[in-house]
Structures are given as structure tokens and as C-alpha cells.
Amino acid sequence: MPSLTAAQTNAMQELLRIAPVIDDLGRLFRRAGHDLFLVGGSVRDALLGQLGHDLDFTTSAMPDQTHALLKEFTPSTWDIGRDFGTIGAMKRADGNEWQIEVTTFRADIYRSESRKPEVNFGDTIDGDLVRRDFTVNAMAINVATREFVDPYGGLDDLADGVIRTPGTPEASFSDDPLRMMRAARFASRLGFTVAPEVVAAMKDMADRIQIVSAERIQAELTGLLLTDQPREGIDLLVRTGVADIILPELPALRLEVDEHAHHKDVYEHSLTVLEQAIELEKDRGHQPDIVNRLAALLHDIGKPPTRRFEGSKVTFHHHDVVGAKMATKRLKALTYPTAVVKAVAKLIDLHLRFHGYADGEWSDSAVRRYVRDAGDELERLHILTRADCTTRNQRKATKLRRAYEELEWRIDELAAQEEIKALRPHLDGTQIMEILGLGPGREVGEAYRFLLEHRTEHGPMEHDAAVELLKSWWAERRSD
């Protein structure tokens, strides 16, 4: 973490960099008799030397007044957040495009029975800052005077790497229970320690997360998972009991013993798989991918309900199938997009398929089937399967790694020969109907599946041979 002096130097350098934008904006609001502050994450990031092109401000002006002033500042404005006091704008200056949000001083609260905050506008900067989630986000800079406003010790906490609330954590989490999840996200994103009193309040108030909408919980969980190091934040949610409510399948894994690695439980294994999947994402040139990360975290959630004892051995037969169904149900409840739900479920369902390959060489048809079943999720399946190898037995780990490298090589080789990634039967539905004299119906689908299976088992064939194969299959079928 930067020292106080380094943080202050960072902030001055960042303010000089954005001066062409904030100076004009500050003069505009001041002439109209309103205060304007750079606030929250923008100040925190400036202190860390990481301020981007998204700038957050708070003001004494009401939303209608803010909108009128921003229209003078730039022709590109929008008021989609007007009900929450926020007006947005885009400004081009010095070759950069700045995304700006200006929000009226807020004093929001949650009622005990409400799933949404009650929007109230405040009249002081200190009153606005005390309602913010954490001290490191409760700092502001007066745009006109450059006065640094830090009534709750955010600068010290930033230097110490501590997540703390401006007021009592109980009051903060009562106002907005989602802040418990934000504590986890910031712990992972910033690499900070969550203050003991914040952790204690999370444990005591975990049940209150139930009043927050599934959409907001999903957005916060996604933000946590897409950080570079989500383990600490996830573990915080599990330790405090918040995960028992939002993702109960995860803490359930702590009770299970992984049959592949008796030195750790399935919960720890799952966190390790997530970490390794993130590294593989980077190594293979991918951007952070919520599908990869959900699949890695949840790939073994089918183990608790499928655990059986067979003598001295613990088994989890069909935990892949059961886990895929459980993930589908949970992710739907969390309002994840259908495409994400289906992709995660498919990966969980297929994540054990490779282990048969490691035990012995697959035929070309088995490789084709692996690719066909993975479909568009093949690259993600590569990442999940590789990440799932967490054994400390170096000999076994080396064997598994080499086996999967060989499988990927064979897939590439067959793809070059046969266009395997676009695997289709030798004849399409129209051709099947013409050859057999059929109209659309179930029998055409059966013929299509027969030809696809033949293609998978035996590879490509000439058109005339495919026609004869289809006629022969049809004749045998009609004679049965």
C-alpha cells in the first residue's frame, strides 16, 4: 500500500492530469452557487495513482439543476439515473473521452421490509460521505478549491490497507445490506484486510442480505469473481455466513472430503481450481470470463448430495450431472443470463469426461465426440479440466498435464484434417428428405442423428458413399 505521502502525491498528479475537465466543470457549478466534489472511487483511485476516465462527482445541486449545467458543459448528457439523483455526461478533452456522473448529495436508507433503497437527498458533503460504504470510498475533493475532505479517516485506512465503514458497520449494513458483499469484493480487488468489527457485523447481520434483490446480489457476486484474486472475498462470505444465503452450495462443500486429494476438502479444492482457471485465462490470452469462473467455483457442488461410503473409500458418483442441475437452479435464481447458465451447466456436466482419456488412449471417434459434445464451450472446457488438476503428487500431475496436452494436440490435428469443430453429418436435412422421399418429421431427425454418429465414429466420407449409407440404413429400418 502507498504511504500517506505517496498517496497524496499520486492524487495531486492525477488531479493535474484531469484538470482540463474538472476545472471547467467546477467553475460552472460554482458560478451557479453549487458545490461540486470529486468523490468515492474516483478519489480512492486517484490516491492509488490509478484514476481512469470514469469520474464520479457529488454536488449540492438538485438533479434538474445538474442536468441543466451539464448541458452547458457538453452536448452529450443522459438522465437515466435521475430518480437516484444521478446525471451522466460524456466529454471529449485533450484527446480523451471522459465518462462523468454527477449525483446530488445522498442520504439513502433501507427500510427493514424493503428490497430497494429509499432515495433521500442530503445537503452537506459530510452527510453524503457518512452514508457511503467504506472509509476508503468516503473521501472527496472540492473541485473548485482542491480542499481534501476526509472526515472518517479514509486516507489512513487506504495507507493501512483496511476496509472499514465510516459509521458503525451495523448502521452501514442496516442501511444497505449489499455492503457486506461489497466488503468482500473490495478485499479481493484491493488486497485489503477487512476490519474485525466489520467481519463481526457481517456474521451478526448476514440474514439481512435477504432483503436485497437477486439482481443486485448477482451483480456484486460477478464483480467479486471477476477480480484477479477472488479467493479472499469468497472465503469472507463463507466465513461470515453470507454465502449460506446467497450461494449455499458453496459452504456446503466444506464438509466433504475430496477423494482425489485427502489432504484438503472440496471447498479448498474448488477455490484452488478457481485460482488456476484465472491463471489459465491469462496464459491463454483471454479476458476475465464469468462463465469460466462460475464453472470453476461450482464444478463440484454435486458432491455433497452424492457422497457415499464404499468401505474405506468415499465416492461421488454422478456428481457432474447432479452438479449441473444444481448450478442451473442456483444461477437462474440469481438472474444470470440464460446463455451463462447453460454454458456453466454444460461445463460442469462435462468436467469429468477427460479422465477416461488419461487412463488410456482414446480413439479418433472418442476425440470427435468430446469436441462435438463441448461445442462452443471447448476452450472453456480445456481451461476447467486443466484447472481441476490440483494434486500434490507431482508425478500424477505431470501425467495428467501431458495427457491433456496430447488431447489438445489431437483435437487440433483432427480439426485441421476434418474441420472437426464444425462437425456436421455427411448430408443435411434437405438432402435426407430428397433421397428418402420424406417430408419434415421425426424420421428425418433420426436419419440426421444416425449420420452424425457415423461421422463422429468414422470420420468424413464422399457424398455418394453417404447416400448409399443412408439408403442402406433406411432399408434396414423399414424391414425391422
Side-chain angles (χ1 to χ4, degrees):
M1 291 300 105
S3 65
L4 293 184
T5 302
Q8 291 159 337
T9 301
N10 286 338
M12 289 305 299
Q13 291 174 338
E14 295 294 83
L15 289 175
L16 287 172
R17 183 171 66 84
I18 66 173
V21 177
I22 66 171
D23 285 350
D24 291 346
L25 196 59
R27 280 191 291 268
L28 191 63
F29 274 75
R30 192 172 193 180
R31 280 200 306 266
H34 303 298
D35 292 323
L36 182 71
F37 296 84
L38 189 71
V39 73
S42 291
V43 176
R44 181 198 67 231
D45 291 344
L47 290 163
L48 293 172
Q50 299 172 359
L51 183 59
H53 291 92
D54 293 348
L55 304 178
D56 293 327
F57 298 89
T58 188
T59 181
S60 57
M62 290 293 105
D64 287 345
Q65 297 169 317
T66 297
H67 200 186
L69 290 168
L70 286 177
K71 282 182 177 179
E72 292 184 41
F73 181 66
T74 174
S76 301
T77 66
W78 53 91
D79 63 352
I80 193 171
R82 181 187 294 270
D83 290 345
F84 298 95
T86 300
I87 307 297
M90 188 274 288
K91 175 77 170 180
R92 290 189 176 88
D94 293 346
N96 294 307
E97 187 174 280
W98 303 90
Q99 299 292 328
I100 295 166
E101 286 194 348
V102 183
T103 302
T104 301
F105 293 155
R106 294 278 290 271
D108 301 344
I109 59 171
Y110 263 94
R111 299 301 179 189
S112 60
E113 72 284 357
S114 175
R115 299 176 78 88
K116 295 181 180 180
E118 179 180 299
V119 178
N120 291 305
F121 297 134
D123 53 13
T124 67
I125 183 62
D126 285 7
D128 178 274
L129 295 179
V130 76
R131 289 293 182 183
R132 292 184 178 261
D133 49 10
F134 307 111
T135 59
V136 294
N137 296 328
M139 298 176 282
I141 297 172
N142 188 308
V143 172
T145 66
R146 296 296 195 269
E147 176 192 2
F148 182 64
V149 183
D150 181 23
Y152 306 106
L155 186 58
D156 287 332
D157 287 342
L158 189 73
D160 293 339
V162 176
I163 299 293
R164 198 186 311 278
T165 54
T168 66
E170 290 80 7
S172 181
F173 297 156
S174 181
D175 281 351
D176 186 352
L178 193 66
R179 290 172 178 169
M180 292 185 280
M181 293 189 66
R182 285 202 201 111
R185 174 164 61 88
F186 280 113
S188 284
R189 178 184 167 189
L190 301 174
F192 284 11
T193 299
V194 180
E197 68 272 18
V198 175
V199 175
M202 289 175 68
K203 290 179 179 178
D204 291 342
M205 302 180 69
D207 284 350
R208 188 156 170 75
I209 198 71
Q210 294 178 88
I211 74 166
V212 181
S213 69
E215 290 82 3
R216 295 183 74 214
I217 289 173
Q218 183 251 100
E220 202 60 47
L221 178 62
T222 296
L224 168 58
L225 287 174
L226 291 179
T227 63
D228 284 343
Q229 298 177 316
R231 176 190 277 261
E232 177 54 35
I234 292 169
D235 199 49
L236 177 64
L237 295 177
V238 170
R239 294 196 318 267
T240 57
V242 175
D244 288 330
I245 298 165
I246 64 168
L247 195 62
E249 296 80 3
L250 191 59
L253 296 174
R254 291 178 300 174
L255 304 177
E256 306 307 319
V257 178
D258 189 331
E259 77 274 24
H260 295 303
H262 294 294
H263 59 280
K264 59 191 173 187
D265 62 20
V266 181
Y267 170 69
E268 287 295 328
H269 164 76
S270 297
L271 293 181
T272 300
V273 172
L274 174 60
E275 290 177 323
Q276 294 185 169
I278 291 171
E279 289 304 309
L280 284 166
E281 267 183 7
K282 296 175 183 177
D283 292 346
R284 295 170 79 102
H286 300 300
Q287 294 298 310
D289 182 353
I290 190 59
V291 171
N292 273 335
R293 298 183 183 202
L294 283 168
L297 184 65
L298 304 178
H299 74 284
D300 274 346
I301 59 171
K303 283 189 171 180
T306 60
R307 183 173 65 161
R308 300 291 183 272
F309 295 95
E310 298 178 0
S312 62
K313 185 180 179 182
V314 181
T315 65
F316 303 95
H317 296 312
H318 307 300
H319 76 267
D320 46 349
V321 177
V322 172
K325 292 179 180 178
M326 293 171 64
T328 296
K329 183 177 180 181
R330 177 56 54 194
L331 296 181
K332 282 183 176 179
L334 288 170
T335 72
Y336 274 98
T338 300
V340 170
V341 176
K342 288 183 176 180
V344 172
K346 187 173 190 176
L347 291 168
I348 294 173
D349 187 48
L350 294 174
H351 83 275
L352 295 180
R353 185 75 65 88
F354 161 72
H355 292 286
Y357 184 88
D359 297 334
E361 185 175 343
W362 281 2
S363 64
D364 284 351
S365 63
V367 175
R368 292 189 196 99
R369 187 171 288 105
Y370 186 80
V371 174
R372 184 193 73 189
D373 291 349
D376 293 339
E377 305 307 323
L378 181 62
E379 173 63 7
R380 287 167 168 158
L381 185 58
H382 289 334
I383 290 173
L384 176 58
T385 304
R386 285 177 174 273
D388 196 23
C389 177
T390 63
T391 178
R392 290 182 180 177
N393 183 324
Q394 289 302 311
R395 202 159 147 194
K396 183 178 179 182
T398 299
K399 179 183 176 183
L400 287 169
R401 184 177 63 253
R402 288 177 176 171
Y404 206 87
E405 287 170 355
E406 179 188 339
L407 175 58
E408 284 203 60
W409 175 81
R410 287 184 65 193
I411 289 170
D412 290 342
E413 185 181 52
L414 282 171
Q417 293 172 0
E418 307 174 7
E419 297 183 354
I420 189 173
K421 290 183 180 179
L423 194 62
R424 298 289 185 272
H426 315 294
L427 303 169
D428 62 27
T430 300
Q431 291 171 314
I432 291 170
M433 286 189 287
E434 289 176 354
I435 293 166
L436 300 182
L438 297 173
R442 177 176 55 83
E443 291 172 324
V444 177
E446 292 175 358
Y448 185 93
R449 287 188 291 275
F450 163 73
L451 292 175
L452 179 59
E453 186 65 23
H454 190 277
R455 172 75 156 74
T456 301
E457 288 289 340
H458 303 288
M461 65 191 307
E462 296 296 329
H463 175 79
D464 290 347
V467 171
E468 291 304 316
L469 176 67
L470 175 62
K471 289 179 177 178
S472 175
W473 170 83
W474 181 244
E476 290 181 10
R477 188 177 182 283
R478 290 177 67 83
S479 66
D480 288 342

